[in-house]
């Protein structure tokens, strides 16, 4: 297949058409009409074969996840996704692989009514770069820098599931077969928390999506806001599947230091806690210190083993 055929058959044909896209795929650049009363949030993330996923991962999951991690960044800003670009580097034009990849990509793209408006196709080791652009009503973007002492700290859904699934695929732990599908889906097809991010506008003082483990990502909020945090580790939400698969300490270690959850961590002033959306759990409080204080409910200190994944360390 030639480059043009790949673009047409797998990418142009399947995308939805939004009214704010004046010119989509096919020209030298796309032309879009941003809403006049909103700001644009723009993010990009690359997934590289062998670094972010194993070579033999199903193409559907690669398509789904490479979009999910980008939408997750928009969710963490409180943005509503609108437009996407996709730059893909392929070792060969395998149409079965491309078909599955596009299905995964467009299933999630459709769910959020986003339009693919451009991209690039090149030959080389498999790598996927997506750019996602979303809208936020003026001044309502949720940054990492707004946490204040006394704010409550929340996370969405449950943590540690993806890290457990990754440990399983690396043959480091075993998981009971009836919990396997759930945990693997948490790794392969993370849910970008767009709806919750939108609801947090005007409520959360700061937010981040958890890609490198709660401890590492919360630390970014602490640094940018110049505050500290006290976390009650036994309040960190763990799924039934995780709790029934491994012991509590291992589960906590995955939640705090494992990656790939793509849940949100955010802070809310005490007087707005009634407005926090469903499926969010309070795990602690922002302090005037500058450190991250992790404790069990009996007040003993929790020792962190490592602080998450770093690409160049
Ligand atoms: P150019 O050489 O001018 O960059 P290309 O042949 O790379 O043009 O791309 C032609 C059109 O197809 C452009 O509109 C580009 O944005 C779009 N496009 C290329 N690759 C992709 C892709 N993977 N997904 C979506 N659109 C793509
Ligand atoms: Mg090009």
């Amino acid at each position: 297949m030639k480059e043009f055929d790949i673009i047409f058959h797998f990418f142009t044909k399947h995308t939805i058409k939004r009214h704010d896209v004046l010119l989509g795929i096919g020209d030298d650049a796309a032309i879009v009409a941003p809403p006049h009363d909103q700001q644009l949030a723009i993010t990009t993330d690359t997934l590289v074969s062998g670094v972010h996923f194993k070579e033999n991962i199903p193409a559907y999951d690669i398509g789904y996840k490479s979009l999910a991690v980008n939408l997750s960044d928009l969710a963490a800003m409180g943005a509503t996704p609108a437009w996407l670009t996709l730059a893909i580097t392929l070792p060969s034009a395998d149409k079965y692989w491309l078909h599955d990849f596009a299905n995964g990509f467009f299933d999630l793209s459709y769910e959020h009514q986003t339009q693919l408006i451009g991209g690039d196709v090149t030959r080389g080791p498999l790598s996927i770069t997506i750019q996602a652009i979303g809208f936020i009503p003026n001044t309502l973007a949720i940054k990492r820098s707004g946490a204040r002492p006394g704010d409550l700290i929340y996370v969405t859904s449950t943590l540690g599931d993806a890290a457990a699934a990754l440990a399983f695929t690396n043959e480091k732990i075993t998981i009971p077969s009836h919990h396997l599908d759930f945990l693997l889906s948490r790794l392969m097809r993370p849910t970008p928390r767009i709806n919750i991010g939108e609801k947090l506008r005007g409520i959360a003082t700061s937010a981040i999506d958890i890609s490198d483990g709660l401890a590492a990502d919360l630390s970014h909020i602490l640094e940018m806001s110049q505050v500290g945090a006290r976390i009650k580790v036994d309040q960190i939400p763990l799924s039934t599947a995780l709790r029934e698969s491994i012991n509590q300490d291992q589960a906590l270690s995955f939640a705090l230091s494992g990656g790939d959850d793509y849940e949100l961590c955010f802070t809310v002033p005490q007087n707005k806690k009634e407005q926090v959306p469903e499926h969010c759990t309070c795990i602690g409080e922002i302090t005037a210190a500058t450190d991250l204080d992790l404790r069990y409910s009996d007040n003993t200190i929790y020792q962190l083993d490592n602080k998450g994944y770093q690409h160049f360390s």
Side-chain angles (χ1 to χ4, degrees), residues 3 7 11-12 24-29 86-88 116-121:
E3 191 186 320
I7 297 167
F11 299 119
T12 314
I25 296 170
D27 214 307
D28 292 312
L86 165 67
I88 185 164
L116 182 65
I117 58 170
D120 204 13
V121 179

Side-chain angles (χ1 to χ4, degrees), residues 83-101:
W83 309 314
L84 311 170
T85 66
L86 165 67
I88 185 164
T89 305
L90 298 164
S92 65
D94 176 342
K95 61 181 180 203
Y96 300 102
W97 192 95
L98 278 161
H99 173 86
D100 290 350
F101 174 90

Side-chain angles (χ1 to χ4, degrees), residues 44-48 52-53 66 69-70 87 127-130 311:
T44 189
D45 256 317
T46 297
L47 270 75
V48 178
H52 300 94
F53 55 87
S66 44
V69 303
N70 279 278
S127 160
I128 296 118
T129 298
I130 290 173
H311 275 278

